[in-house]
Amino acid sequence: AALDRHRRDRTRLVEILREIQDDLRWLSPDTLTAVAAGLGVSRADVEATATFYAFFATRPRGRTRILFSDNVTDRMAGNRALYRRMLAQFGLSGDETSADGRVSVGLTACTGMGDQGPAILVDGRVVTRMTADRVDAVADLVRRDVALADWPEEFFRVDDQVRRADVLLGGPWVPGESLSAAIARGRDGMLAEMRASNLRGRGGAGFTTAVKWMAARDAAGGPKVIVCNADEGEPGTFKDRVLLASHAGKVFEGMAVAAWCVGASEGFLYLRGEYLHLKAPLEAVLADMRARGLLGRSVLGTEGFDFDVEIRMGAGAYVCGEETALIESLEGKPGRPRIRPPFPVVRGYLGRPTVVNNVETLCKAHEIAKRGGAWFAGTGTRQSTGTKLLSISGDCDRPGVYEYPFGVAIAEVLADCGAERAIAVQVGGASGVLVAADDFRRRIAFEDVPTAGAMMVFGPGRDLVDVAAAFADFFAEESCGFCTPCRVGTRLVKRLVDKVAAGHGTHGDLLEIRRLQSLMARTSHCGLGQTAANAVVDALERFRPAFERRLAAVDFEPAFDLDASLATARRLAGRDDADAHLVQEFEP
Ligand code: SF4
């Protein structure tokens, strides 16, 4: 049925597997074979996609699957103790399935709920504000086989938590206003406004949006495609969640403005799997816009301007935030970044010219269409025009989403969110920069501290070694494995940081971390590997005493304990005398 619902379209493989898994709980070898036959593709292709995404289970799992969000801010809020409590509820000792097949419990990357965590996913639905009581309540509901639809609504409550609104979060959506203005200006006139605005992409890279749109407009081939990147996977980021929940009309109208400028007829919103709760409300907004003539054939009665949007779900892969990996995923493949050039504006989705823009960028395009490029450029700094949304979490009194003109000092943001005593802030997520207190005068802007929107605050008493260890864990899990420097480098960095955190590290290990970071930055295929060790090295440079306090007082200490690894063999042999132990000796 899932195959027929998706017209046996190979590009919809991720959606098809999601739906089948919802019905059957896991993707068995026979299921994968049947899907391959149904789509007319090789079994290997289907298996490659099924095994790539974290949310797909290719081994049997429990009837209910519980995943604990495990970002560094979740750890700071005590998620690990809650995780152990949940495991104990079902007599589990780690990431595994209960013997009766009732439940699987495990960990997952940041779920985008940093302002109302710790959070869990239960069969893909997010439950926020976990406490010991809520863990017990969830365990009870699972034990009694209560359907998710009958769980207390309060468990699934996700608040916007907008703490500071400016033009974007404060302005209403007047359906059709921006799009009418864009159409009235003509394609070239609207692109001229985009150029005048100097809007730069809000996803992190800061590429000029007008340049991207013009390149797609000028590219040969079609039909052209507009993709909204709603894969907000950067740990600590959740501002797109708020835009999608409460400003979706602006997002979709921004996509239509882009389509008008570029000459595109097809649109996709790629929504991260963790935001499943937003899918139905987003579909309702799309239906409303179609009814108003803002999407579909002859948009707003404009002959020759046909454009519509389809929502596609991700399935738990951070790397899909990279635009070419996202396009691969949209085509139903594993989300591995492509070699560039050619860039997506020339050869993107199915080889067609494709614009990929972040959710916030498209909202900004909506603003520019409404009020003009000069108005937009009047806010912020010369190189960073407009306002920026920040997701603030961690050690602060008022976590949530804040909108500021670009150029705001980090100190001002921290004062507003009640974090005056912070010792450091990780700006830009796990791949961003760690700013220590003596640099809090620095400003949020592309020319100073750029960010896609995450600010994780660390207060007095936080050990930056633990923070570094959390980021190292994250990248070792999320490397897609395509290229060796990243696949191996992220694991080596994690092992070294864990060794330091456990009190076995040496100065040589710290040097090795730096050497690996430099190697990965130079030789990794995509941004994930290039930036994967930055947070660790930033922490090492700015909080060196925290690392040195944990070092072993020797020149070399192995990461591998050979004697301990032989414990099982000793037990089986029934020996534990001195001769059954290995003494490891190393030359200084
Ligand atoms: Fe994959 Fe990492 Fe290589 Fe990027 S750098 S392609 S995430 S292995």
Side-chain angles (χ1 to χ4, degrees):
L3 288 168
D4 289 338
R5 257 198 310 280
H6 291 284
R7 304 186 300 277
R8 298 181 182 263
D9 179 351
R10 190 244 184 278
T11 68
R12 294 163 177 263
L13 180 56
V14 175
E15 296 288 313
I16 290 168
L17 293 176
R18 279 189 73 97
E19 289 181 20
I20 292 175
Q21 181 170 283
D22 284 348
D23 283 347
L24 304 179
R25 295 210 168 86
W26 71 293
L27 302 168
S28 70
D30 288 349
T31 301
L32 298 184
T33 303
V35 170
L39 293 178
V41 299
S42 76
R43 170 74 160 62
D45 282 347
V46 174
E47 186 164 346
T49 296
T51 52
F52 182 82
Y53 296 91
F55 289 171
F56 289 149
T58 50
R59 283 179 302 161
R61 64 167 173 82
R63 291 196 293 282
T64 300
R65 189 184 202 192
I66 299 175
L67 295 172
F68 277 72
S69 184
D70 195 31
N71 186 27
V72 62
T73 51
D74 295 304
R75 294 187 187 185
M76 287 156 58
N79 77 322
R80 288 298 182 107
L82 299 173
Y83 171 58
R84 287 191 294 274
R85 188 179 182 99
M86 187 70 84
L87 291 173
Q89 282 277 1
F90 296 102
L92 304 174
S93 56
D95 190 345
E96 57 184 11
T97 301
S98 60
D100 60 1
R102 184 184 296 279
V103 66
S104 305
V105 182
L107 298 168
T108 189
C110 178
T111 49
M113 301 290 154
D115 55 336
Q116 45 209 298
I120 60 172
L121 295 175
V122 182
D123 290 341
R125 283 292 308 273
V126 70
V127 177
T128 54
R129 301 174 180 81
M130 291 303 293
T131 59
D133 287 348
R134 194 161 280 193
V135 166
D136 298 346
V138 166
D140 180 58
L141 289 163
V142 170
R143 253 194 303 272
R144 290 192 288 117
D145 288 323
V146 178
L148 270 186
D150 297 325
W151 287 28
E153 241 173 70
E154 167 65 17
F155 283 18
F156 303 109
R157 203 184 92 216
V158 178
D159 295 331
D160 282 355
Q161 304 221 96
V162 172
R163 307 281 188 174
R164 189 183 194 282
D166 205 305
V167 287
L168 173 47
L169 294 174
W173 174 50
V174 180
E177 192 180 26
S178 292
L179 194 49
S180 307
I183 292 170
R185 284 189 187 101
R187 291 193 157 94
D188 290 343
M190 185 59 222
L191 276 168
E193 294 297 332
M194 291 298 292
R195 266 200 312 274
S197 74
N198 196 24
L199 171 65
R200 296 172 69 176
R202 281 0 190 202
F207 195 76
T208 306
T209 306
V211 172
K212 197 183 250 191
W213 288 13
M214 285 191 290
R217 177 199 61 182
D218 296 341
K224 294 176 183 175
V225 181
I226 306 295
V227 177
C228 173
N229 183 347
D231 192 52
E232 190 170 48
E234 191 64 55
T237 314
F238 42 82
K239 47 94 187 171
D240 289 347
R241 182 198 80 211
V242 173
L243 291 174
L244 295 164
S246 300
H247 301 269
K250 297 176 188 174
V251 180
F252 291 133
E253 213 169 309
M255 291 180 75
V257 170
W260 169 247
C261 290
V262 166
S265 58
E266 205 169 339
F268 295 101
L269 183 133
Y270 185 90
L271 183 65
R272 72 181 307 218
E274 291 82 347
Y275 291 170
L276 181 63
H277 66 285
L278 292 174
K279 186 166 188 240
L282 286 168
E283 294 282 12
V285 175
L286 284 176
D288 176 59
M289 289 180 69
R290 286 183 197 114
R292 293 172 187 271
L294 298 172
L295 293 171
R297 295 192 71 81
S298 303
V299 172
L300 287 177
T302 313
E303 201 59 39
F305 179 24
D306 304 334
F307 180 69
D308 211 333
V309 177
E310 183 186 328
I311 297 172
R312 295 274 186 94
M313 298 295 297
Y318 166 76
V319 70
C320 287
E322 197 277 342
E323 62 179 6
T324 61
L326 188 156
I327 289 169
E328 288 283 296
S329 184
L330 276 179
E331 293 181 0
K333 301 175 194 161
R336 294 210 176 87
R338 293 177 178 174
I339 291 168
R340 299 183 297 180
F343 291 96
V345 286
V346 177
R347 282 181 64 83
Y349 177 71
L350 299 178
R352 304 183 210 149
T354 302
V355 167
V356 182
N357 282 141
N358 168 264
V359 172
E360 188 181 345
T361 310
L362 291 161
C363 286
K364 293 292 170 191
H366 166 271
E367 272 173 26
I368 293 161
K370 187 167 149 184
R371 306 207 204 188
W375 167 85
F376 185 86
T379 309
T381 72
R382 256 168 70 89
Q383 292 176 53
S384 309
T385 52
T387 62
K388 182 76 194 85
L389 266 54
L390 301 175
S391 321
I392 302 185
S393 59
D395 294 323
C396 61
D397 296 337
R398 292 175 290 282
V401 174
Y402 292 68
E403 181 180 10
Y404 290 97
F406 261 123
V408 65
I410 291 171
E412 183 181 337
V413 178
L414 292 176
D416 287 351
C417 71
E420 290 91 340
R421 296 178 62 232
I423 59 168
V425 186
Q426 180 73 19
V427 183
S431 60
V433 292
L434 183 72
V435 181
D438 52 358
D439 271 338
F440 283 172
R441 66 187 180 289
R442 293 183 66 186
R443 296 179 179 278
I444 300 294
F446 292 109
E447 62 272 30
D448 193 351
V449 183
T451 174
M455 279 183 73
M456 291 179 274
V457 182
F458 307 112
R462 292 289 174 199
D463 191 327
L464 271 293
V465 179
D466 296 332
V467 172
F471 290 141
D473 267 3
F474 172 76
F475 284 111
E477 277 296 316
E478 294 294 338
S479 168
C480 82
F482 172 73
C483 62
T484 308
C486 171
R487 184 181 65 247
V488 178
T490 50
R491 300 253 156 84
L492 291 176
V493 169
K494 172 183 157 43
R495 197 182 294 176
L496 288 166
V497 177
D498 285 349
K499 186 180 165 196
V500 172
H504 298 298
T506 64
H507 283 284
D509 293 326
L510 301 187
L511 284 173
E512 183 64 5
I513 290 171
R514 282 170 182 281
R515 198 187 65 79
L516 283 167
Q517 186 240 1
S518 160
L519 183 84
M520 290 161 66
R522 281 183 285 113
T523 57
S524 293
H525 173 55
C526 83
L528 187 153
Q530 288 156 9
T531 58
N534 288 4
V536 174
V537 169
D538 275 358
L540 186 52
E541 276 174 6
R542 305 213 160 89
F543 294 88
R544 193 168 181 93
F547 284 79
E548 288 185 335
R549 270 197 300 275
R550 297 220 197 175
L551 296 185
V554 292
D555 291 334
F556 176 76
E557 167 106 6
F560 179 65
D561 184 342
L562 191 52
D563 186 59
S565 73
L566 292 173
T568 309
R570 281 193 295 270
R571 205 171 54 248
L572 290 173
R575 282 188 60 181
D576 200 24
D577 55 281
D579 286 346
H581 284 267
L582 286 167
V583 177
Q584 298 178 73
E585 286 172 0
F586 298 91
E587 294 296 326

